[in-house]
C-alpha cells in the first residue's frame, strides 16, 4: 500500500504535465535603452517578440523535492520599433537554448537564454547607424516565468540585445541596448 500511494500521487500530479514538458507560445514586449559606446547615437527600442519554447530537450538535474534544471529551445520572431536612433524598425528572428530552473511547486521558473539570429532594418546614411539593411542580432535574457493557471504564464525579464552588420560596412558601430520585458505565454 505504501508503494501504491506514491505512484498514485505521481500520476495525479502529472495529469496535466509539467509546464517545462509542453510547447509554449508567447508574446513579449518591453523597453530597451542604449548601453555602451558602440554608436555615437542614442537608441531607445520597443521590442515585440512572438516566442516559441519547445518541450524539455535535456533534463540536466532533478531534485528530490521535484525541482529541476532543464534546457529548452527558444525561437522568436522579432519586431522592434526604434523610437530613438538612425533607423525606424527592425524585423528578424532569433534562436537560443533556454536554461530553466523550475521550483518544486511546478509553477515558478528562473530562466536564462543567450543566442542570436538575423534581420532587416531601414538603414540610411546617418553616421553611427547600421549602414546597411541586413543585420545580425545577439541577445541575452534572464527572468522569471510564473504560471497563472494550467496553460498561461506571466514572463518578466531583463533583456540585452546587440545589432550589428557584421563588419560589412566601415565603420560598423553596432547597437547595444538593455532593458526590461514582460509577456504572456500559453502552453499546449
Amino acid at each position: 500500500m505504501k508503494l501504491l500511494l506514491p505512484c498514485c500521487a505521481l500520476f495525479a500530479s502529472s495529469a496535466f504535465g509539467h509546464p517545462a514538458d509542453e510547447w509554449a507560445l508567447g508574446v513579449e514586449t518591453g523597453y530597451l535603452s542604449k548601453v555602451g559606446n558602440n554608436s555615437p547615437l542614442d537608441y531607445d527600442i520597443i521590442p515585440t517578440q512572438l516566442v516559441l519554447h519547445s518541450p524539455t530537450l535535456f533534463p540536466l538535474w532533478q531534485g528530490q523535492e521535484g525541482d529541476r534544471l532543464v534546457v529548452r529551445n527558444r525561437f522568436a520572431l522579432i519586431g522592434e520599433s526604434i523610437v530613438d536612433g538612425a533607423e525606424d524598425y527592425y524585423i528578424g528572428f532569433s534562436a537560443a537554448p533556454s536554461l530553466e530552473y523550475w521550483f518544486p511547486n511546478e509553477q515558478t521558473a528562473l530562466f536564462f537564454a543567450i543566442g542570436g539570429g538575423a534581420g532587416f532594418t531601414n538603414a540610411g546614411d546617418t553616421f553611427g547607424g547600421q549602414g546597411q539593411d541586413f543585420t545580425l542580432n545577439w541577445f541575452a535574457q534572464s527572468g522569471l516565468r510564473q504560471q497563472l493557471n494550467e496553460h498561461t504564464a506571466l514572463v518578466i525579464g531583463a533583456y540585452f540585445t546587440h545589432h550589428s552588420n557584421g563588419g560589412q560596412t566601415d565603420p560598423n558601430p553596432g547597437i547595444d541596448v538593455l532593458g526590461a520585458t514582460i509577456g504572456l505565454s500559453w502552453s499546449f
Side-chain angles (χ1 to χ4, degrees):
M1 185 65 167
K2 289 184 179 182
L3 289 176
L4 182 60
L5 289 176
C7 293
C8 292
L10 178 63
F11 178 74
S13 67
S14 62
F16 295 109
H18 193 286
D21 296 331
E22 299 177 351
W23 288 94
L25 183 63
V27 176
E28 297 177 15
T29 191
Y31 198 87
L32 313 174
S33 292
K34 176 186 170 182
V35 293
N37 296 314
N38 281 355
S39 173
L41 304 174
D42 286 332
Y43 274 91
D44 288 314
I45 296 176
I46 298 173
T48 302
Q49 298 185 37
L50 183 62
V51 180
L52 178 67
H53 280 93
S54 73
T56 296
L57 292 176
F58 303 107
L60 299 176
W61 177 77
Q62 175 92 31
Q64 292 182 348
E65 301 297 319
D67 50 337
R68 57 161 101 172
L69 185 64
V70 302
V71 175
R72 299 169 75 182
N73 280 330
R74 178 191 191 278
F75 303 99
L77 294 176
I78 305 165
E80 294 179 347
S81 176
I82 301 175
V83 180
D84 193 12
E87 300 78 20
D88 298 313
Y89 64 86
Y90 179 81
I91 297 171
F93 70 93
S94 67
S98 178
L99 181 66
E100 300 179 359
Y101 172 75
W102 285 86
F103 289 89
N105 66 10
E106 298 183 2
Q107 302 298 305
T108 308
L110 297 174
F111 65 87
F112 177 74
I114 188 168
F120 293 91
T121 189
N122 63 333
D125 293 332
T126 305
F127 179 78
Q130 288 299 285
Q132 70 176 33
D133 292 346
F134 176 76
T135 60
L136 303 172
N137 67 68
W138 179 85
F139 79 94
Q141 182 184 29
S142 65
L144 176 77
R145 178 182 324 277
Q146 178 63 51
Q147 292 296 128
L148 301 175
N149 60 41
E150 180 184 330
H151 294 289
T152 309
L154 175 67
V155 181
I156 57 172
Y159 189 82
F160 169 84
T161 192
H162 171 78
H163 293 291
S164 172
N165 63 34
Q168 298 176 51
T169 63
D170 186 25
N172 173 29
I175 301 169
D176 290 332
V177 287
L178 174 68
T181 58
I182 188 167
L184 287 175
S185 179
W186 297 270
S187 59
F188 56 96

